[in-house]
Amino acid sequence: MLIPVAKNVFKWKSNDPELGIEQIGHVLISSGTVAAIDPPMVPGLVDALKILGKPVAVIMTNFSHIRGSSALARVLGVDLCIPDLRGTERRKPEDEIRLHHLEKAVKYGPSSKLPFVLKPYNIRPESEKNLPFLDEMVLHFEDMLVVGDSAWGSDGKLVLFPGHIMPDPDGSKKDAVKKSLSKIVRETGAKSLLSGHQDDLIGSLQDQI
């Protein structure tokens, strides 16, 4: 079930039955403790995480990735950390929090202290009309960035949102994501990207952004 990505990172996959897309969750390991990022809930996950180390948190990068976060945090008895976002026209955080009963979750932002000294960055690219079309947290872990929807790997190549997900005829949305993500890549020096969809990109992020 758990697929090794790096010496201290595993991932697992699940298919979303409603959207028909593959969901990817990651578990980060540090000093005998583990944190689950954007976790799809699958059979055997709880026991697998406990084998890897002591669970300390479940962390969401955005409100499209609620997935099994609430259930997993509850079963593990750890904090559910949700991003403190402003949202977009399509997705309002306050509505998501109410709808999914996340009122007791712990909000985190760029200045928050997370397990493993994870450093959060907010990525919120805007369209030509200055309207944000994506709002999520990017997590810096060692030499890796963990993202939700802003980018992913495919056949060893970096793909930037929206990719093939939504129309972007002039490439303006892709360019806006690249501008925002590039700044974080430069600041952190991250070499790899772990994504909530498709493939992780290992070792070549600096060369492709």
Side-chain angles (χ1 to χ4, degrees):
M1 177 181 68
L2 294 179
I3 303 167
V5 176
K7 65 179 181 180
N8 51 358
V9 179
F10 287 79
K11 70 178 181 180
W12 70 99
K13 303 179 181 181
S14 178
N15 187 268
D16 186 316
E18 293 183 3
L19 299 178
I21 60 175
E22 191 175 62
Q23 302 174 330
I24 308 294
H26 288 89
V27 54
L28 312 180
I29 309 169
S30 178
S31 301
T33 61
V34 300
I37 314 296
D38 291 343
M41 196 63 169
V42 298
L45 177 61
V46 171
D47 291 337
L49 294 180
K50 289 181 177 179
I51 289 172
L52 292 178
K54 178 183 178 182
V56 293
V58 174
I59 305 173
M60 287 166 35
T61 59
N62 64 53
F63 286 97
S64 295
H65 286 193
I66 292 173
R67 301 175 174 177
S69 296
S70 293
L72 183 60
R74 183 173 63 254
V75 173
L76 292 176
V78 300
D79 284 336
L80 170 59
C81 301
I82 63 174
D84 191 7
L85 303 174
R86 287 172 287 171
T88 65
E89 283 188 312
R90 292 176 55 250
R91 197 172 284 270
K92 303 298 183 184
E94 58 271 22
D95 295 336
E96 299 288 345
I97 290 171
R98 183 177 61 256
L99 178 63
H100 296 282
H101 308 292
L102 303 177
E103 290 86 356
K104 294 183 180 180
V106 178
K107 289 185 178 181
Y108 75 92
S111 61
S112 300
K113 292 184 179 180
L114 289 173
F116 313 164
V117 198
L118 282 170
K119 171 62 177 173
Y121 293 83
N122 182 221
I123 181 169
R124 197 170 187 263
E126 297 179 348
S127 67
E128 293 179 347
K129 297 181 180 179
N130 296 322
L131 296 174
F133 56 85
L134 179 69
D135 193 11
E136 72 176 19
M137 290 294 177
V138 175
L139 304 174
H140 181 211
F141 176 63
E142 298 189 351
D143 66 347
M144 295 169 275
L145 295 180
V146 189
V147 303
D149 291 325
S150 52
W152 56 89
S154 179
D155 295 324
K157 301 296 183 182
L158 178 66
V159 180
L160 299 169
F161 184 90
H164 59 275
I165 297 175
M166 65 173 61
D168 187 27
D170 61 356
S172 60
K173 289 184 174 67
K174 174 184 174 182
D175 290 343
V177 173
K178 183 175 183 178
K179 181 179 179 180
S180 298
L181 187 60
S182 294
K183 182 178 179 181
I184 299 172
V185 172
R186 289 194 303 269
E187 181 174 336
T188 61
K191 299 177 182 178
S192 300
L193 181 129
L194 313 179
S195 179
H197 298 285
Q198 295 202 38
D199 301 330
D200 295 325
L201 192 68
I202 305 301
S204 62
L205 180 59
Q206 292 284 333
D207 297 328
Q208 296 201 48
I209 193 67

